[in-house]
PDB file of all heavy atoms in Angstrom:
ATOM      1  N   ARG I 367      -5.517  26.449  11.291  1.00 63.00           N
ATOM      2  CA  ARG I 367      -5.114  26.389  12.667  1.00 63.00           C
ATOM      3  C   ARG I 367      -3.709  26.937  12.768  1.00 63.00           C
ATOM      4  O   ARG I 367      -2.859  26.648  11.941  1.00 63.00           O
ATOM      5  CB  ARG I 367      -5.055  24.939  13.050  1.00 63.00           C
ATOM      6  CG  ARG I 367      -5.844  24.600  14.262  1.00 63.00           C
ATOM      7  CD  ARG I 367      -5.488  23.224  14.447  1.00 63.00           C
ATOM      8  NE  ARG I 367      -6.309  22.471  15.299  1.00 63.00           N
ATOM      9  CZ  ARG I 367      -6.304  21.136  15.270  1.00 63.00           C
ATOM     10  NH1 ARG I 367      -5.674  20.505  14.415  1.00 63.00           N
ATOM     11  NH2 ARG I 367      -6.960  20.432  16.087  1.00 63.00           N
ATOM     12  N   ARG I 369      -0.334  27.369  14.803  1.00 62.00           N
ATOM     13  CA  ARG I 369       0.405  26.808  15.921  1.00 62.00           C
ATOM     14  C   ARG I 369       1.679  27.580  16.083  1.00 62.00           C
ATOM     15  O   ARG I 369       2.429  27.789  15.152  1.00 62.00           O
ATOM     16  CB  ARG I 369       0.735  25.357  15.628  1.00 62.00           C
ATOM     17  CG  ARG I 369       1.613  24.755  16.652  1.00 62.00           C
ATOM     18  CD  ARG I 369       1.664  23.281  16.438  1.00 62.00           C
ATOM     19  NE  ARG I 369       2.459  22.913  15.283  1.00 62.00           N
ATOM     20  CZ  ARG I 369       3.761  22.686  15.347  1.00 62.00           C
ATOM     21  NH1 ARG I 369       4.392  22.844  16.474  1.00 62.00           N
ATOM     22  NH2 ARG I 369       4.420  22.332  14.291  1.00 62.00           N
ATOM     23  N   THR I 372       7.172  25.741  19.007  1.00 50.00           N
ATOM     24  CA  THR I 372       7.409  25.390  20.389  1.00 50.00           C
ATOM     25  C   THR I 372       8.886  25.446  20.691  1.00 50.00           C
ATOM     26  O   THR I 372       9.701  25.019  19.910  1.00 50.00           O
ATOM     27  CB  THR I 372       6.937  23.969  20.658  1.00 50.00           C
ATOM     28  OG1 THR I 372       7.635  23.136  19.779  1.00 50.00           O
ATOM     29  CG2 THR I 372       5.472  23.868  20.440  1.00 50.00           C
ATOM     30  N   ARG I 550       9.464   5.222  12.961  1.00 61.00           N
ATOM     31  CA  ARG I 550       9.294   4.308  11.854  1.00 61.00           C
ATOM     32  C   ARG I 550      10.186   4.752  10.735  1.00 61.00           C
ATOM     33  O   ARG I 550      10.369   5.914  10.475  1.00 61.00           O
ATOM     34  CB  ARG I 550       7.868   4.354  11.369  1.00 61.00           C
ATOM     35  CG  ARG I 550       7.713   3.492  10.159  1.00 61.00           C
ATOM     36  CD  ARG I 550       6.295   3.235   9.896  1.00 61.00           C
ATOM     37  NE  ARG I 550       5.597   4.444   9.500  1.00 61.00           N
ATOM     38  CZ  ARG I 550       4.314   4.484   9.320  1.00 61.00           C
ATOM     39  NH1 ARG I 550       3.605   3.433   9.577  1.00 61.00           N
ATOM     40  NH2 ARG I 550       3.730   5.568   8.930  1.00 61.00           N
ATOM     41  N   ARG I 554       7.363   3.816   2.463  1.00 84.00           N
ATOM     42  CA  ARG I 554       6.540   3.020   1.580  1.00 84.00           C
ATOM     43  C   ARG I 554       5.919   3.937   0.561  1.00 84.00           C
ATOM     44  O   ARG I 554       5.127   4.790   0.895  1.00 84.00           O
ATOM     45  CB  ARG I 554       5.383   2.397   2.329  1.00 84.00           C
ATOM     46  CG  ARG I 554       5.707   1.131   2.966  1.00 84.00           C
ATOM     47  CD  ARG I 554       4.529   0.752   3.822  1.00 84.00           C
ATOM     48  NE  ARG I 554       4.892  -0.310   4.710  1.00 84.00           N
ATOM     49  CZ  ARG I 554       4.985  -1.555   4.325  1.00 84.00           C
ATOM     50  NH1 ARG I 554       4.731  -1.854   3.105  1.00 84.00           N
ATOM     51  NH2 ARG I 554       5.331  -2.475   5.163  1.00 84.00           N
ATOM     52  N   ARG I 590      -0.526   2.274   6.953  1.00 88.00           N
ATOM     53  CA  ARG I 590      -0.938   3.644   6.685  1.00 88.00           C
ATOM     54  C   ARG I 590      -1.748   4.137   7.859  1.00 88.00           C
ATOM     55  O   ARG I 590      -2.841   3.679   8.092  1.00 88.00           O
ATOM     56  CB  ARG I 590      -1.796   3.709   5.428  1.00 88.00           C
ATOM     57  CG  ARG I 590      -1.116   3.266   4.170  1.00 88.00           C
ATOM     58  CD  ARG I 590      -0.047   4.220   3.757  1.00 88.00           C
ATOM     59  NE  ARG I 590       0.585   3.766   2.510  1.00 88.00           N
ATOM     60  CZ  ARG I 590       1.840   4.049   2.217  1.00 88.00           C
ATOM     61  NH1 ARG I 590       2.591   4.734   3.039  1.00 88.00           N
ATOM     62  NH2 ARG I 590       2.347   3.626   1.087  1.00 88.00           N
ATOM     63  N   ASP I 597      -1.379  13.244   5.441  1.00 92.00           N
ATOM     64  CA  ASP I 597      -0.208  13.796   4.764  1.00 92.00           C
ATOM     65  C   ASP I 597      -0.287  13.582   3.265  1.00 92.00           C
ATOM     66  O   ASP I 597       0.011  14.466   2.468  1.00 92.00           O
ATOM     67  CB  ASP I 597       1.071  13.146   5.289  1.00 92.00           C
ATOM     68  CG  ASP I 597       1.430  13.669   6.664  1.00 92.00           C
ATOM     69  OD1 ASP I 597       0.963  14.761   7.010  1.00 92.00           O
ATOM     70  OD2 ASP I 597       2.160  12.981   7.385  1.00 92.00           O
TER      71      ASP I 597
ATOM     72  P    DC X  15       5.627   6.100   4.290  1.00 59.24           P
ATOM     73  OP1  DC X  15       5.335   4.821   4.887  1.00 59.24           O
ATOM     74  OP2  DC X  15       4.487   6.978   4.057  1.00 59.24           O
ATOM     75  O5'  DC X  15       6.648   6.759   5.305  1.00 59.24           O
ATOM     76  C5'  DC X  15       6.486   8.090   5.577  1.00 59.24           C
ATOM     77  C4'  DC X  15       7.556   8.509   6.517  1.00 59.24           C
ATOM     78  O4'  DC X  15       7.867   9.855   6.190  1.00 59.24           O
ATOM     79  C3'  DC X  15       7.056   8.506   7.957  1.00 59.24           C
ATOM     80  O3'  DC X  15       8.106   8.168   8.851  1.00 59.24           O
ATOM     81  C2'  DC X  15       6.601   9.925   8.157  1.00 59.24           C
ATOM     82  C1'  DC X  15       7.516  10.710   7.261  1.00 59.24           C
ATOM     83  N1   DC X  15       6.820  11.878   6.681  1.00 59.24           N
ATOM     84  C2   DC X  15       7.296  13.127   6.973  1.00 59.24           C
ATOM     85  O2   DC X  15       8.310  13.213   7.661  1.00 59.24           O
ATOM     86  N3   DC X  15       6.637  14.191   6.506  1.00 59.24           N
ATOM     87  C4   DC X  15       5.552  14.034   5.753  1.00 59.24           C
ATOM     88  N4   DC X  15       4.939  15.111   5.307  1.00 59.24           N
ATOM     89  C5   DC X  15       5.040  12.738   5.428  1.00 59.24           C
ATOM     90  C6   DC X  15       5.696  11.701   5.905  1.00 59.24           C
ATOM     91  P    DC X  16       7.769   7.788  10.248  1.00 59.24           P
ATOM     92  OP1  DC X  16       8.606   6.651  10.615  1.00 59.24           O
ATOM     93  OP2  DC X  16       6.305   7.718  10.328  1.00 59.24           O
ATOM     94  O5'  DC X  16       8.232   9.083  11.057  1.00 59.24           O
ATOM     95  C5'  DC X  16       9.457   9.701  10.709  1.00 59.24           C
ATOM     96  C4'  DC X  16       9.665  10.887  11.622  1.00 59.24           C
ATOM     97  O4'  DC X  16       9.080  12.055  11.005  1.00 59.24           O
ATOM     98  C3'  DC X  16       8.971  10.725  12.981  1.00 59.24           C
ATOM     99  O3'  DC X  16       9.788  11.256  14.004  1.00 59.24           O
ATOM    100  C2'  DC X  16       7.693  11.508  12.817  1.00 59.24           C
ATOM    101  C1'  DC X  16       8.109  12.621  11.867  1.00 59.24           C
ATOM    102  N1   DC X  16       7.002  13.130  11.027  1.00 59.24           N
ATOM    103  C2   DC X  16       6.829  14.512  10.919  1.00 59.24           C
ATOM    104  O2   DC X  16       7.619  15.265  11.489  1.00 59.24           O
ATOM    105  N3   DC X  16       5.794  14.971  10.193  1.00 59.24           N
ATOM    106  C4   DC X  16       4.954  14.125   9.589  1.00 59.24           C
ATOM    107  N4   DC X  16       3.949  14.636   8.886  1.00 59.24           N
ATOM    108  C5   DC X  16       5.123  12.712   9.680  1.00 59.24           C
ATOM    109  C6   DC X  16       6.155  12.263  10.412  1.00 59.24           C
ATOM    110  P    DC X  17       9.296  11.139  15.450  1.00 59.24           P
ATOM    111  OP1  DC X  17      10.492  10.928  16.284  1.00 59.24           O
ATOM    112  OP2  DC X  17       8.144  10.236  15.540  1.00 59.24           O
ATOM    113  O5'  DC X  17       8.781  12.624  15.685  1.00 59.24           O
ATOM    114  C5'  DC X  17       9.597  13.705  15.261  1.00 59.24           C
ATOM    115  C4'  DC X  17       9.058  14.988  15.825  1.00 59.24           C
ATOM    116  O4'  DC X  17       8.100  15.523  14.894  1.00 59.24           O
ATOM    117  C3'  DC X  17       8.297  14.736  17.130  1.00 59.24           C
ATOM    118  O3'  DC X  17       8.503  15.758  18.071  1.00 59.24           O
ATOM    119  C2'  DC X  17       6.858  14.690  16.692  1.00 59.24           C
ATOM    120  C1'  DC X  17       6.835  15.642  15.515  1.00 59.24           C
ATOM    121  N1   DC X  17       5.787  15.261  14.540  1.00 59.24           N
ATOM    122  C2   DC X  17       4.998  16.264  13.991  1.00 59.24           C
ATOM    123  O2   DC X  17       5.244  17.446  14.264  1.00 59.24           O
ATOM    124  N3   DC X  17       3.980  15.901  13.177  1.00 59.24           N
ATOM    125  C4   DC X  17       3.752  14.609  12.910  1.00 59.24           C
ATOM    126  N4   DC X  17       2.743  14.308  12.119  1.00 59.24           N
ATOM    127  C5   DC X  17       4.578  13.580  13.450  1.00 59.24           C
ATOM    128  C6   DC X  17       5.568  13.952  14.253  1.00 59.24           C
ATOM    129  P    DT X  18       7.908  15.525  19.483  1.00 59.24           P
ATOM    130  OP1  DT X  18       9.005  15.712  20.424  1.00 59.24           O
ATOM    131  OP2  DT X  18       7.054  14.333  19.524  1.00 59.24           O
ATOM    132  O5'  DT X  18       6.970  16.798  19.560  1.00 59.24           O
ATOM    133  C5'  DT X  18       7.470  18.031  19.062  1.00 59.24           C
ATOM    134  C4'  DT X  18       6.345  19.021  18.920  1.00 59.24           C
ATOM    135  O4'  DT X  18       5.487  18.635  17.824  1.00 59.24           O
ATOM    136  C3'  DT X  18       5.460  19.114  20.158  1.00 59.24           C
ATOM    137  O3'  DT X  18       5.163  20.490  20.377  1.00 59.24           O
ATOM    138  C2'  DT X  18       4.210  18.350  19.755  1.00 59.24           C
ATOM    139  C1'  DT X  18       4.144  18.604  18.265  1.00 59.24           C
ATOM    140  N1   DT X  18       3.422  17.586  17.465  1.00 59.24           N
ATOM    141  C2   DT X  18       2.483  18.029  16.591  1.00 59.24           C
ATOM    142  O2   DT X  18       2.208  19.208  16.417  1.00 59.24           O
ATOM    143  N3   DT X  18       1.840  17.025  15.905  1.00 59.24           N
ATOM    144  C4   DT X  18       2.050  15.668  16.014  1.00 59.24           C
ATOM    145  O4   DT X  18       1.394  14.880  15.340  1.00 59.24           O
ATOM    146  C5   DT X  18       3.072  15.279  16.955  1.00 59.24           C
ATOM    147  C7   DT X  18       3.374  13.845  17.148  1.00 59.24           C
ATOM    148  C6   DT X  18       3.695  16.245  17.624  1.00 59.24           C
ATOM    149  P    DA X  19       4.385  20.883  21.631  1.00 59.24           P
ATOM    150  OP1  DA X  19       5.152  21.928  22.305  1.00 59.24           O
ATOM    151  OP2  DA X  19       3.940  19.694  22.351  1.00 59.24           O
ATOM    152  O5'  DA X  19       3.119  21.564  20.949  1.00 59.24           O
ATOM    153  C5'  DA X  19       3.354  22.505  19.910  1.00 59.24           C
ATOM    154  C4'  DA X  19       2.031  23.059  19.437  1.00 59.24           C
ATOM    155  O4'  DA X  19       1.359  22.050  18.659  1.00 59.24           O
ATOM    156  C3'  DA X  19       1.085  23.430  20.578  1.00 59.24           C
ATOM    157  O3'  DA X  19       0.323  24.551  20.171  1.00 59.24           O
ATOM    158  C2'  DA X  19       0.234  22.178  20.734  1.00 59.24           C
ATOM    159  C1'  DA X  19       0.166  21.656  19.316  1.00 59.24           C
ATOM    160  N9   DA X  19       0.081  20.196  19.196  1.00 59.24           N
ATOM    161  C8   DA X  19       0.796  19.250  19.875  1.00 59.24           C
ATOM    162  N7   DA X  19       0.515  18.015  19.537  1.00 59.24           N
ATOM    163  C5   DA X  19      -0.452  18.162  18.547  1.00 59.24           C
ATOM    164  C6   DA X  19      -1.163  17.230  17.779  1.00 59.24           C
ATOM    165  N6   DA X  19      -1.010  15.907  17.877  1.00 59.24           N
ATOM    166  N1   DA X  19      -2.045  17.704  16.894  1.00 59.24           N
ATOM    167  C2   DA X  19      -2.203  19.025  16.782  1.00 59.24           C
ATOM    168  N3   DA X  19      -1.589  20.001  17.444  1.00 59.24           N
ATOM    169  C4   DA X  19      -0.720  19.501  18.327  1.00 59.24           C
ATOM    170  P    DA X  20      -0.688  25.133  21.169  1.00 59.24           P
ATOM    171  OP1  DA X  20      -0.736  26.587  20.930  1.00 59.24           O
ATOM    172  OP2  DA X  20      -0.460  24.591  22.523  1.00 59.24           O
ATOM    173  O5'  DA X  20      -2.019  24.481  20.570  1.00 59.24           O
ATOM    174  C5'  DA X  20      -2.229  24.573  19.181  1.00 59.24           C
ATOM    175  C4'  DA X  20      -3.616  24.072  18.841  1.00 59.24           C
ATOM    176  O4'  DA X  20      -3.587  22.629  18.716  1.00 59.24           O
ATOM    177  C3'  DA X  20      -4.663  24.398  19.909  1.00 59.24           C
ATOM    178  O3'  DA X  20      -5.870  24.683  19.243  1.00 59.24           O
ATOM    179  C2'  DA X  20      -4.736  23.110  20.711  1.00 59.24           C
ATOM    180  C1'  DA X  20      -4.502  22.060  19.634  1.00 59.24           C
ATOM    181  N9   DA X  20      -3.927  20.789  20.083  1.00 59.24           N
ATOM    182  C8   DA X  20      -2.971  20.589  21.026  1.00 59.24           C
ATOM    183  N7   DA X  20      -2.656  19.319  21.204  1.00 59.24           N
ATOM    184  C5   DA X  20      -3.458  18.650  20.307  1.00 59.24           C
ATOM    185  C6   DA X  20      -3.606  17.289  19.997  1.00 59.24           C
ATOM    186  N6   DA X  20      -2.926  16.315  20.591  1.00 59.24           N
ATOM    187  N1   DA X  20      -4.488  16.957  19.056  1.00 59.24           N
ATOM    188  C2   DA X  20      -5.178  17.925  18.449  1.00 59.24           C
ATOM    189  N3   DA X  20      -5.132  19.239  18.647  1.00 59.24           N
ATOM    190  C4   DA X  20      -4.242  19.544  19.604  1.00 59.24           C
ATOM    191  P    DT X  21      -7.022  25.385  20.051  1.00 59.24           P
ATOM    192  OP1  DT X  21      -7.469  26.526  19.275  1.00 59.24           O
ATOM    193  OP2  DT X  21      -6.638  25.493  21.477  1.00 59.24           O
ATOM    194  O5'  DT X  21      -8.091  24.240  19.905  1.00 59.24           O
ATOM    195  C5'  DT X  21      -7.626  22.958  19.488  1.00 59.24           C
ATOM    196  C4'  DT X  21      -8.812  22.125  19.070  1.00 59.24           C
ATOM    197  O4'  DT X  21      -8.367  20.762  19.142  1.00 59.24           O
ATOM    198  C3'  DT X  21      -9.985  22.226  20.030  1.00 59.24           C
ATOM    199  O3'  DT X  21     -11.155  21.760  19.380  1.00 59.24           O
ATOM    200  C2'  DT X  21      -9.570  21.279  21.115  1.00 59.24           C
ATOM    201  C1'  DT X  21      -8.944  20.150  20.280  1.00 59.24           C
ATOM    202  N1   DT X  21      -7.878  19.418  20.970  1.00 59.24           N
ATOM    203  C2   DT X  21      -7.733  18.101  20.664  1.00 59.24           C
ATOM    204  O2   DT X  21      -8.402  17.526  19.845  1.00 59.24           O
ATOM    205  N3   DT X  21      -6.763  17.469  21.375  1.00 59.24           N
ATOM    206  C4   DT X  21      -5.944  18.016  22.326  1.00 59.24           C
ATOM    207  O4   DT X  21      -5.107  17.337  22.907  1.00 59.24           O
ATOM    208  C5   DT X  21      -6.141  19.422  22.568  1.00 59.24           C
ATOM    209  C7   DT X  21      -5.311  20.108  23.581  1.00 59.24           C
ATOM    210  C6   DT X  21      -7.097  20.044  21.888  1.00 59.24           C
TER     211       DT X  21
END
Side-chain angles (χ1 to χ4, degrees):
Chain I
R367 233 186 196 162
R369 174 169 74 89
T372 58
R550 176 165 67 186
R554 274 172 193 282
R590 298 291 181 209
D597 285 339

